[in-house]
Amino acid sequence: MRPTGSALAATAAVLFGLAVASLFTGVITLDPGTAWHDPEALRLLAVSRFPRTAAVILTGASMAVAGMIMQMLARNRFIEPTTAGTGQSAALGILVATMLWPTAPLWAQMSLASLAAIAGSAGFLALIRHLPPSQPLLVPLVGLIYGGIIGAAVTFLGYQLDLLQYVEVWMNGEFSGVLRGRYELLWITGALTLVAYVVADQFTIVGLGREASVNLGLNYDSVVIAGLLIVSVVTALTVTTVGMIPFVGLVVPNVVSRLMGDNLRATLPCVALSGAVLVLACDLLGRILRYPYEIPVGTIFGILGGAVFLWLLYAGPARTAPPDGR
Amino acid sequence: MIEIEGVSHSLSGVPILRDIDLTIPKGGVTALIGPNGAGKSTLLSLMARLERVQTGRIRFDGLDVTQTPTGQLARVLAILRQETRIATRLTLRDLVSFGRYPHHKGRPGAADRAAVDEAIATFGLEPLAGRQIDTLSGGQRQRAFVAMTFAQGTDYLLLDEPLNNLDMSHARALMLRLGEVARTHGRTVVIVVHEINYAAAHADRIVAMKDGRVVRNGPPGDTLTGAALTDLFDTPIDVTEIHGRPVSLHYA
């Protein structure tokens, strides 16, 4: 358990350093030495830099945890909410809401997006239940097709409603538009991540399968539904506030699992912190590389995440169930 | 005491179990034997509420498995299934610790840790305790799962072919340990065994099943006769007596 503690402390320290760097990176130069006495600088921090930094950390942490939970629910390492239809369903929900109820207040839009995301993820889980367990790679393939079909519906509706600009933002997340008053819903994703930690053991047990869960006295269906709720609401809020950041929920849980195993009680804090660190690092890179212009964080993470994922696939033993030894 | 009354079960119209009436008294080792497809595993799954009882009722010490809260049942009975494939990366100690979940619900105390240590020691797994499950051999993994079931500390242990993948030495050690647990702690072990001679040597009672029915039920001396086994497996089987125990000679 000790190495876990020091890894956690180190990750937290890196996150803190990146967060400070994020506060002082942007088109308007702030001097860390004098900013605290300058009311104009403080206003900039409060309105733009802090909200952006907080949004990045919340998104990174909660999407990584959502990915881990989804992998436990599906008992498959190769999926995450943005590739398996949850994110696309959330976008579809918002579009349908815009079509049927254009004047809907924000909370109603968010609720509809969450409901659509829940339906989308439940559909995915129902779909993969019939796949043979001996073929673990079918699950992500089915997820990609499923997500692709829903994504196509989103694009079609977006085109019909002349909302393709929004669709573009939802599908390729970035944080440049985050300002005070426009990101606060993301704190709910932070709260849901904490809830996930409280019931972490139950998600680990669900990852052992239905029969093991029932044997240990777990109400399997309730835990799966709770997991679906957390994954779907986190994804829906993230997609509609900052957009999808692909690969976070895939790469981070896999790296942590490879290094520390899957006992979520021990590893979930590390999943959350690593997710925050990676997304924040990518966001900072995106801000610095073409300064003063920005590269969307999703693009940077896509390149980085794709490389890490390939390494995961090819390095060492596959992270699938060991062959049945009978 | 386990009471099974009028249990029938069918899967997509195919009858698997036909009107099973069976009482298994408390304490001791009961071996379920019979040919493949006799319904042994299905019966065990129904007993452990892994599948819904279609007709009839099953009670453990008077607790009906369909009506008792699942969390309460998890402190009364534990099951180990034949399929132990997991994709989760856990250390052996973590896995065994999850056997205590019904008792601590996520907050293990000193008693839980002691039970985990005991289970790991009982099955000789100390040197492997820190290893990831997916790096173990089939037999080691099998023992780890038995230890997890054992750590659950229930009065009733239902084990579906726990001797899978075990070599002679570990298979005998496991059977001896189960017998000891049953006799000294008054726990009830129901075990599906394919190797008849382990059942003959270690079980207090034999329940023979064929075509979804219980065809014989009694002590090994009465149930493991040449005629009974020949009939059960539709294969000529000689049974002789060595050191006062029936020994089946079914290898050739």
Side-chain angles (χ1 to χ4, degrees), chain A residues 1 72 75-77 133-136 198 201-202 204-205 207-219 256-265 317-326, chain B residues 45 48-51 70-74 77-90 94-95 98-102 104-108 132-134 138 141 148-149 152 161 164-165:
Chain A
M1 286 294 106
M72 285 289 159
R75 301 187 70 195
N76 190 292
R77 284 254 83 102
S134 52
Q135 302 279 334
V198 172
D201 283 318
Q202 306 196 11
T204 312
I205 293 176
L208 297 177
R210 195 189 80 87
E211 293 187 341
S213 310
V214 172
N215 174 48
L216 293 175
L218 213 62
N219 196 328
V256 173
S257 161
R258 178 160 284 234
L259 300 176
M260 302 169 60
D262 287 327
N263 189 350
L264 297 196
R265 172 68 67 210
R319 290 278 66 85
T320 54
D324 189 0
R326 276 183 306 152
Chain B
S45 298
R49 74 199 175 301
L50 300 184
E51 280 176 63
T70 183
Q72 185 182 348
L73 283 175
L77 65 101
I79 183 166
L80 174 66
R81 296 270 289 152
Q82 314 178 24
E83 289 264 345
T84 49
R85 295 159 54 110
I86 55 167
T88 314
R89 278 169 58 83
L90 291 174
D94 281 345
L95 180 81
F98 275 111
R100 297 299 298 171
Y101 183 82
H104 63 62
K105 303 282 184 201
R107 303 190 193 291
Q132 297 284 342
I133 292 294
D134 55 0
R141 197 160 59 229
M148 176 189 182
T149 315
Q152 208 172 324
E161 297 186 36
N164 269 351
N165 292 322

Side-chain angles (χ1 to χ4, degrees), chain B residues 60-80:
Chain B
F60 285 77
D61 290 340
L63 298 172
D64 192 311
V65 294
T66 56
Q67 279 151 30
T68 312
T70 183
Q72 185 182 348
L73 283 175
R75 294 189 296 269
V76 175
L77 65 101
I79 183 166
L80 174 66

